[in-house]
Amino acid sequence: MCSLALFPPPLPAGQSTLCESNNELLSGANSSDDRQDSSLLSLYFPRESLKLHSRTESSSKAAFLDHSETLWMRSAAAWRDGGFTGLLNEITTSHAEVPKWLSVTSGCILALLRWVSSFHGSLYPHVTLSSEDLIAEFSQVLNWPDCVVRAFAWHPHADKFAVALLDDSIKIYNPQSAISPTLKHRLQRNVAAVQWKPLCASGLAVACQNCLLVWNVDPCSLSTRPSSGCAQVLSHPGHSPVTSIAWSPSGSLLVSASPLDTAMMVWDVAVESCVPLQRVGGGGVTFLSWSPAGSHILASTPSALFRVWETRMWTCERWPCVKGRCQSGCWSPDGSRLLFAVQGEMVIYALTFSGSPGVPTSMAKGPQTAVVVADLSETTFNSPDGDIIVGGEIQSLSWDPRGERLAVLLKGDPQAANRPAIIAVFKTRANPIFELLPCGFVQGEPGAEPRLMQFHPHFQHGALLTVCWSSGKITHIPFYFLSSGVSHVGLSGSPPKLQPQERPADFANQSLFTELLS
Amino acid sequence: MFSPNTSSWFISKVIWWRAAASIAWSVLLLLPTTAVFITLSKFSFLHPIQTISECLSLLMSASSVFSFILLSGVVIMVGFLILEYFTVIPTIACSKIALLGQLLHPRQVISSLAHCLMGMVVGWCCAVTVGQRYETLGYPGKSSDGQPQMYLNEYHLVFLLAGAFVGFSHSLLGVIHNMNYVCFQTVQQYKYLHFKGSLPLVLKCSTIQAFYSVRNFIIVYFFLGYIPKTWICKTLNLHLDSSVHPLDSISGLVDLSLLYHLWINASFLLFTWYITLLLFRIFVTEVYSFPVQSTFTDDSHLCLPKVLADKQPMISKFLALQDLSLLSKHSPLRRSEVFSLSQPGGHPHNWNTVSKECLALLADLTQRLVAYHETVATNGRAKSLSSGSERKSSSETSVTSGTEDLMSPRPTFLMRTPASVFTRSVAGGPHSPLTAPFTPDLDSPFASPVLRRLTAQVDQCSPWHGSVQSPHIMRRVPKLWSTSTESQVSSSSPPSPASVPSPKQEPAKPSFLGQFLQNRKEQLPEASSQALFADSQAHIWALEALSYLVQASFTEDQFGVVQTTLPSILSSMLHLQEAVDRHFKLPHASSKPLRSTNSMEEFTYKTLRFALRATLKTAIYRITTTFGNHLNAVQMSAEHRKRLQQFLEFKE
């Protein structure tokens, strides 16, 4: 079992990680090539450049609602906005205009409802949270409400990516074109996740606060502001906020999850229909991850329980955890191994699924217990600047498409200066036995903490980790290595479309990302 | 065209058993449903314990056992009607008059009457079970002059009529909303879980539908209630009691207890029927695993390629396609059988049959789309192909009726005739005059002139064939969708250019009635587009199966059998892509699916074209991402190569 004590110490202050080459992480000083680096390789979204919503929904409502409406109109509006409880609330508050018995009755019913829901709330504490708090709690992004870049997604085949920003807009960057379309929609608020549709050039699913949007952005279009008519709106009563989405690798189905809905929705996006898959227990679904082979889905719940769905007949296995909920998980490229992290524990667990996708599930015996593969408990590194404590709980996990590098985003402690959030990268090996080996820590500029990370789906020379930092920067850290086994992605993944020049020595001039983007 | 043993084995061995199982389950489920119904209808807030004991004693009583047997009979009958009438290709009425024609079709009238009757039986059972004032049709009393007389119990009559009305409206709505259409699920689930998931929806639908039906019934009874009342009184020699309020008055109908009982009654009726329908759909659409090849030649007709190649019955073809699509996705073992060579000879018979069938399906759709586009293009707006309006599914009921007319010079898509109940009885013979107005007779008033024009166009080798295939070749392609076509023999229009009526050649001086009919015949553009893609579930499966098999062949095909067909697969997919693109550019083809409401009617057929478009694109991408630049070595036309390059660069 691997532990953080085996890792090389974190970089001294002023240094940031550039790439991995010859089996070691190279770093560079920020001061010298800072300007050039940021302009060539990466994007920078300064917080000040975004026009933020200054008011929330409730405050604007108070400003615009005409209070001289009749009781009847207000009740109808309350029914439309808040449903039954909203109606009761309206009747109870306007007790001057309604008969006394009605306001008293509705007050009693309201109290009874609240009492019942408080029971529900004590069983599942998360149901009392507001939508934004729910997204912040269950998002894979560290400190989601404060993030400039709220979601990020590489296209699975083409070299382009989508970035969801704090001002609820989504930008699409393509190194081959000068146009970066900006997607805005009335319903696109509080984006929790974005994901491109596999086997499609243009489909982008967006998990929003109240619904799911699927954008269809024509890659040949010259428009910088595609109209909201390009977006399909998928919504289902009670299914909000959507905190996680996952496309099937075959591109036909989309699953979505909401912490307030016990059902997981399986969408047929083309016809906008959905099949709710409901199971008792858990109180909702928070995080979804579809295995790259397409045979399983990890679905975690807000309580100490997660499920692994099998996608042929849509049955599930229940996996109760001891301590907390499953915070994050990722699949090996062949879909046979699942790594996951549990809230409150500082270890990475692994589950092995022996069944290949073709074998019926009755024959494929699932694993019995999860094994601990890495220990990430806090470790102190001595450095000239003072001790740095690394380790702790895990925010998210990400495995590169070849299955050779595993990036782990550690939460750290925002209060303590010497316990930063950090990305620990492991080398992974599947043969002869599965093991994790230390690779190193990925660090950015001083003061910038990693918030979100994703591996490039088809990087030629190894793996490419894209990290979004708290400062609003997006950087790409390549890991150059030769694949140990036969490439897993060679067959199912996309063939190379554009051939980057072979210049492994010149890291700063990776031709893939040399376009001036921002 | 097809030997009886190959086509009927499936009906007798699979479909019948599935239907029987679904009906058996619905009868079993009737017991708890009835118990809940009795509890609800007898419930009183003031005496809850008394209610429960009453209900228990009622459930044990002989009369309720008898009612239960009757209700089971009704459910079995409903199940048989569903089995008889179900279809996997929806019948879409392209105009209002076509819908009227569907409703008045003798086959449909029979079904409506049967539903009406069964509704009445259920109404009687409910009246007897609820008891109290509803129990009997007549009650003894004394007339004003002291004579003992039987009086009519109007409450009982209302129950019977309400049952009949709800049954009848259920049947009518079934036609309008295509409730007999059985759609296949995109998400495969086990039967129990599927049923459990759909149960709340069924409950919601039945209560809401019951509410509307009861409302309509009350309106009808208010105005026309005196007719059955006086008729019953006359025939049964009953008298009207003048001391009680007549129910066809406002004061009589505003009776909350009566309304509640009517509503519960209607909900119970609809719920049991919907459950039967739901179970039937779940059981029939369950995946059936066909063997890909068998070791014994006796069983060869049970194999997947053989069933795929069969035209009849439709349901087996659909299930075979579904199985093919699933095996291509999920099971490497069965895929290897598809790619295998025949033992003596070394021919890839399995792959050849499978790919040929799938390609024929795609070519058929392409040809249909091109023809449609041609017709629409001539007059701008959608005064279009109405073959869909008359298109009846070829359900398995017509198996025995068909003598295929091989020489019929029709495009395949026009060869859909209603599998009429009457043509079955006179198998092979000329169709009876009764059914004549409802068959897609080109001279019938229900066929639009465009249809005739289209037929003529196809027959005279119109220029579009260049982009697809020569019609001569197409005629030799097995007619995949055809059923019995004897009704068309009589109605072939002369294939001469002179017979092409232009849209301007409508009656110059239309009478009022003619105008009215013309308006009703006006195509609903949305519907004509739906009708065009009515059977697209098959095409979706064919596309999925082909693309997954081609993808798998990259690693699994040891003998290179797929390579030989790869060019034709690619070109037919690109052809279809072109045709679909053109179709969606038509002004009336909406680019987004309508939001489906939650109800028992199947909305899937309305959105099939969107599903097809998405599947097609994904299928092409699946092939291009698998083969990548190897595809440059595949022979194809320059135009297609250009299109394919777009796919390779992810620019579609």
Side-chain angles (χ1 to χ4, degrees), chain A residues 241-478:
Chain A
V242 183
T243 55
S244 188
I245 46 175
W247 281 99
S248 73
S250 64
S252 52
L253 298 173
L254 174 71
V255 291
S256 69
S258 163
L260 294 186
D261 190 358
T262 49
M264 178 173 95
M265 296 290 162
V266 183
W267 295 91
D268 189 347
V269 173
V271 302
E272 298 189 4
S273 70
C274 72
V275 180
L277 296 174
Q278 191 127 25
R279 290 295 183 274
V280 180
V285 184
T286 57
F287 172 70
L288 296 168
S289 171
W290 208 310
S291 79
S295 55
H296 292 92
I297 299 177
L298 165 73
S300 64
T301 68
S303 50
L305 167 78
F306 67 91
R307 298 193 176 86
V308 178
W309 289 84
E310 160 278 318
T311 60
R312 196 170 171 191
M313 293 306 283
W314 295 95
T315 53
C316 66
E317 297 172 9
R318 279 166 63 98
W319 284 91
C321 308
V322 181
K323 237 176 165 171
R325 64 181 158 86
C326 172
Q327 165 65 27
S328 180
C330 60
W331 292 90
S332 67
D334 58 354
S336 64
R337 195 166 274 117
L338 169 69
L339 299 185
F340 66 94
V342 172
Q343 197 185 37
E345 292 189 51
M346 303 175 186
V347 291
I348 301 176
Y349 288 100
L351 280 177
T352 315
F353 293 85
S354 51
S356 64
V359 183
T361 39
S362 53
M363 288 155 70
K365 193 73 195 124
Q368 297 303 314
T369 50
V371 286
V372 176
V373 290
D375 176 17
L376 301 175
S377 51
E378 292 176 350
T379 310
T380 310
F381 290 96
N382 299 313
S383 74
D385 311 329
D387 290 354
I388 292 181
I389 301 172
V390 174
E393 285 189 34
I394 295 161
Q395 178 70 27
S396 68
L397 295 167
S398 181
W399 209 337
D400 93 281
R402 294 181 196 222
E404 305 252 342
R405 293 290 181 275
L406 174 74
V408 182
L409 177 53
L410 296 165
K411 271 180 188 168
D413 186 353
Q415 264 76 47
N418 62 344
R419 296 171 66 182
I422 202 167
I423 295 175
V425 180
F426 294 88
K427 295 171 190 166
T428 54
R429 198 161 66 182
N431 288 316
I433 51 159
F434 179 72
E435 58 181 334
L436 297 181
L437 305 167
C439 180
F441 296 114
V442 170
Q443 286 165 282
E445 298 165 12
E449 67 175 11
R451 288 288 164 81
L452 172 60
M453 57 180 190
Q454 192 180 31
F455 275 104
H456 189 286
H458 50 91
F459 185 61
Q460 295 295 303
H461 312 286
L464 180 78
L465 183 67
T466 303
V467 185
C468 306
W469 303 92
S470 57
S471 57
K473 276 191 178 170
I474 297 175
T475 58
H476 309 281
I477 296 135

Side-chain angles (χ1 to χ4, degrees), chain A residues 155 157-158 160 197-202 218-220 228-235 250-253 266-268 270-273 275-277 279 311-315 357-359 361 491-497, chain B residues 185-191 193 196-197 287 326-327 329-332 334 544 548 551 554-555 592-596 598 604 607-608 610-611 614 617-618 621-622 624-629 646-652:
Chain A
H155 192 279
H157 311 285
K160 62 178 173 184
K197 179 179 176 178
L199 297 178
C200 181
S202 56
D218 184 2
C220 302
S228 54
C230 300
Q232 288 175 286
V233 181
L234 309 176
S235 64
S250 64
S252 52
L253 298 173
V266 183
W267 295 91
D268 189 347
V271 302
E272 298 189 4
S273 70
V275 180
L277 296 174
R279 290 295 183 274
T311 60
R312 196 170 171 191
M313 293 306 283
W314 295 95
T315 53
V359 183
T361 39
L491 302 175
S492 57
S494 90
K497 295 310 156 340
Chain B
Q185 296 293 314
T186 39
V187 172
Q188 302 291 327
Q189 288 186 75
Y190 286 109
K191 291 193 288 278
L193 295 170
K196 203 178 77 177
V287 178
L326 286 176
L327 87 86
K329 264 182 232 175
H330 294 300
S331 53
R334 296 179 68 202
E544 281 183 353
Y548 276 108
Q551 182 184 33
F554 193 72
T555 49
K592 269 193 198 171
L594 297 165
R595 290 319 306 266
S596 63
N598 290 330
T604 333
T607 50
L608 270 177
F610 303 104
K617 212 164 235 188
T618 311
Y621 270 121
R622 190 168 291 130
T624 53
T625 50
T626 309
F627 285 83
N629 290 326
Q646 297 251 301
F647 275 98
L648 281 168
E649 287 167 2
F650 282 91
K651 286 199 172 153
E652 269 299 318

Side-chain angles (χ1 to χ4, degrees), chain A residues 60-123:
Chain A
S60 65
K61 189 177 166 188
F64 287 105
L65 197 69
D66 187 6
H67 284 279
S68 64
E69 276 180 315
T70 62
L71 174 74
W72 177 244
M73 295 294 287
R74 267 183 290 143
S75 302
W79 169 262
R80 201 182 55 234
D81 294 345
F84 187 59
T85 48
L87 179 67
L88 287 178
N89 214 357
E90 182 65 42
I91 293 174
T92 317
T93 49
S94 56
H95 47 79
E97 297 166 65
V98 294
K100 191 168 165 55
W101 62 269
L102 189 59
S103 68
V104 169
T105 318
S106 61
C108 287
I109 297 173
L110 201 59
L112 193 71
L113 279 179
R114 283 190 183 140
W115 184 67
V116 171
S117 73
S118 75
F119 265 111
H120 189 208
S122 66
L123 203 58

Side-chain angles (χ1 to χ4, degrees), chain A residues 204-228:
Chain A
L204 178 71
V206 183
C208 309
Q209 185 176 328
N210 293 320
C211 64
L212 229 92
L213 290 176
V214 180
W215 286 92
N216 245 312
V217 190
D218 184 2
C220 302
S221 157
L222 296 175
S223 155
T224 52
R225 271 295 301 273
S227 79
S228 54

Side-chain angles (χ1 to χ4, degrees), chain B residues 491-513:
Chain B
S491 64
S492 55
S493 58
S496 74
S499 76
V500 182
S502 85
K504 299 281 175 212
Q505 279 179 336
E506 296 302 310
K509 181 166 63 81
S511 64
F512 173 72
L513 188 67

